[in-house]
Amino acid sequence: MSRIGRMPIKIPGGVQVKVEDGRVTVQGPRGTLTQAIPPGISVQVEDSTITVRRASDDRRDRALHGLTRALIANMVTGVTEGFRKTLLIEGVGYRAEMQGDQLVLFLGYSHPIYRLPPPGVRFEVDPKARTITVEGIDKQVVGQVAADLRALRPPEPYKGKGVRYIDERIRRKAGKAGKVG
């Protein structure tokens, strides 16, 4: 049995969970999220816990058991606390600013890059610390938006210029042999 799938999910106060028509809907103070339940997996809500069970022991059901439990747990966390990813901008002249709710990035290209946040996601920019915070209730969307922003100018290994996650370590390379000294 899946160790992750077996663990019950505690439902905090102020969160409602509904299971109907093969979908789980979690509603909380920050918003509402919905996830489809794969066939062969069942979800029960009892008192203040959610339990995920699988119908059989075949490979597909075993794989989906832990996945479904993790997705539902992330939904509960998202509607109560939310998720955030912080990106750091390094490089001379590289910066970010907000124009309304639109993010404007200056990353060494000949033009600025404009990004609107998808629904349910907010951007926060700290120009002094050169950080961008991506915040939202859906963990997958927050992670994807942060990855898309990082992909605009990934960090390079020689000087470390670019956009990186705040906790990411960049493996640095030595420059030319004649410059070492």
Side-chain angles (χ1 to χ4, degrees):
M1 196 99 175
S2 167
R3 290 186 199 174
I4 300 290
R6 258 195 322 225
M7 296 190 312
I9 304 164
K10 300 262 186 270
I11 302 173
V15 175
Q16 289 109 18
V17 179
K18 292 181 197 145
V19 181
E20 52 193 19
D21 300 332
R23 300 186 80 69
V24 176
T25 304
V26 180
Q27 186 174 8
R30 289 183 169 243
T32 304
L33 292 172
T34 304
Q35 176 69 42
I37 302 169
I41 303 294
S42 63
V43 177
Q44 287 89 27
V45 180
E46 300 141 356
D47 298 330
S48 64
T49 61
I50 304 168
T51 313
V52 180
R53 295 197 175 89
R54 64 177 184 239
S56 69
D57 234 11
D58 69 335
R59 185 179 183 94
R60 182 180 169 283
D61 286 351
R62 285 196 321 255
L64 291 173
H65 186 204
L67 171 71
T68 305
R69 189 258 176 218
L71 291 174
I72 295 170
N74 286 339
M75 289 166 57
V76 171
T77 304
V79 298
T80 54
E81 301 164 21
F83 293 100
R84 63 188 320 145
K85 289 265 189 183
T86 305
L87 299 160
L88 181 67
I89 301 173
E90 280 189 33
V92 176
Y94 290 15
R95 59 190 166 89
E97 60 186 43
M98 295 297 292
Q99 288 181 356
D101 48 328
Q102 184 169 320
L103 178 68
V104 183
L105 298 161
F106 300 92
L107 299 175
Y109 296 114
S110 61
H111 58 281
I113 300 168
Y114 299 92
R115 288 285 183 260
L116 276 171
V121 174
R122 284 187 331 118
F123 293 136
E124 289 178 17
V125 174
D126 183 4
K128 295 255 192 263
R130 291 186 166 197
T131 60
I132 304 167
T133 304
V134 182
E135 198 174 316
I137 62 172
D138 191 339
K139 187 175 187 177
Q140 180 183 358
V141 173
V142 168
Q144 187 62 53
V145 169
D148 291 343
L149 291 176
R150 182 186 180 277
L152 294 172
R153 179 68 90 172
E156 54 96 19
Y158 295 101
K159 291 185 178 177
K161 295 177 4 176
V163 180
R164 65 180 174 93
Y165 297 110
I166 197 90
D167 56 354
E168 181 181 10
R169 285 193 33 90
I170 306 300
R171 289 189 59 192
R172 302 294 293 270
K173 289 183 178 180
K176 292 182 180 176
K179 289 221 173 187
V180 177

